[in-house]
Every structure is written in C-alpha cells, then in structure tokens.
Amino acid sequence: MSELNYLTKETLEQMKEELNKLKTSGRAEIARQIAEAREKGDLKENAEYDAAKEAQGHHEAKIAQLQAAVMSARVIDVKNIDISKVSVLSKVTVTNLGTKKQVSYQLVSEKEADIKLGKISVTSPIGKGLLGKVVGEVAEVQAPSGTLKFRIDNIAVS
C-alpha cells in the first residue's frame, strides 16, 4: 500500500484533470500513432511501431502512477492546519544558523514539491527535520555537506 499524499483540494482536482486527459485524449493519440505505424508494413522491422508501443507503455505507467496518487490522496483544508507547530501545508520561515540567511518554505507532498516555488517535500531531509518543530526551536538536518541548523522563525498558512 502506498503512503498517504496530503494535498489541497485544488491540487487533487488538477491531478484528476490530468488523469482524465491521459485516459482520453492521451490514449487516443497513442492508439492513432500505433495504427499509423502498423500501416507501414512489417512490424518486425518497424521502428515507428516499436517507438509507439514503448510510448504506450510509458503512458500507461504514468496513468497507473497518477491513479495511485489520487487514490491515496487526503485533502487538507488550510483552515484546519495547526500553526502551533510545523506540519504538512504549513509555510515556515527559518533562519539558516550557518549562513544567517532567512528563507521560507511550504511543506507539501512529494507530488507538489517545487523548490523554485518554495515548496519542499515533507519527505525531503529539510522537510523531515522541520516537521513538528515550534517557533524558536532549532532543527538539525543532515545534509551531504554536513549538519545544517535552522531556527524556526514563523509558522503560517498560505
């Protein structure tokens, strides 16, 4: 059984939309490519057919992965997030005690993680280190470059 994905309602809807698109127009496009390649003759020496079949396999694997993610999703209402400690979907502002730089992260599921948007996975080393901490507490995170120390400055919801 896969682990639970904690998502916002909006993200779950986006995932369902993508799944529907993959199942309908995505499958239809791959079927068209396979039919087109099949018309070109001998399938044993037909690179286009092989490529289309391989694309079909990747497409079906993506559908299966997305279906599993949707099935294991648990919607979290941001109004119900406890901001007394760092938790999933909370936005936390921390100071790196080594560099004295302040940065803000939102802790999200692996599916939503995007470092460019300041969204880090709760399963990442920093995410794991921050979970459950309260304002003023220092989180020690093991990184390849050594131990990083982050002081929790603020916890909010976005």
Side-chain angles (χ1 to χ4, degrees):
M1 181 168 165
S2 60
E3 60 186 62
L4 296 178
N5 288 312
Y6 294 97
L7 309 168
T8 60
K9 185 176 182 180
E10 295 78 28
T11 300
L12 181 59
E13 291 306 316
Q14 288 172 352
M15 290 171 69
K16 286 180 177 180
E17 251 179 62
E18 182 182 358
L19 183 58
N20 188 43
K21 187 176 177 183
L22 289 172
K23 285 180 163 183
T24 54
S25 59
R27 279 183 174 158
E29 174 61 21
I30 291 194
R32 186 195 60 74
Q33 290 173 2
I34 290 171
E36 199 174 282
R38 191 178 284 144
E39 290 173 3
K40 295 190 175 167
D42 186 8
L43 298 182
K44 286 185 269 181
E45 297 178 17
N46 189 331
E48 278 184 53
Y49 179 77
D50 291 341
K53 290 299 280 184
E54 187 173 328
Q56 181 183 36
H58 289 298
H59 188 83
E60 291 302 320
K62 187 172 182 178
I63 287 173
Q65 183 180 30
L66 198 50
Q67 275 180 322
V70 167
M71 289 176 61
S72 66
R74 296 296 177 266
V75 175
I76 294 181
D77 188 345
V78 290
K79 291 179 268 175
N80 296 333
I81 295 176
D82 175 13
I83 59 169
S84 67
K85 63 181 183 215
V86 179
S87 62
V88 177
L89 296 183
S90 61
K91 186 171 187 170
V92 59
T93 303
V94 298
T95 299
N96 181 326
L97 297 178
T99 64
K100 304 296 184 215
K101 281 187 152 184
Q102 193 175 57
V103 66
S104 292
Y105 297 117
Q106 183 179 21
L107 275 71
V108 297
S109 71
E110 285 184 47
K111 304 279 182 225
E112 293 181 278
D114 186 343
I115 193 68
K116 293 179 204 143
L117 298 175
K119 295 180 174 188
I120 61 170
S121 168
V122 292
T123 60
S124 69
I126 293 175
K128 284 179 183 176
L130 296 177
L131 277 177
K133 300 291 189 262
V134 298
V135 173
E137 197 170 351
V138 174
E140 291 190 15
V141 177
Q142 293 301 320
S145 60
T147 302
L148 302 174
K149 293 183 180 183
F150 296 99
R151 183 185 64 234
I152 312 300
D153 297 328
N154 187 40
I155 303 168
V157 291
S158 12

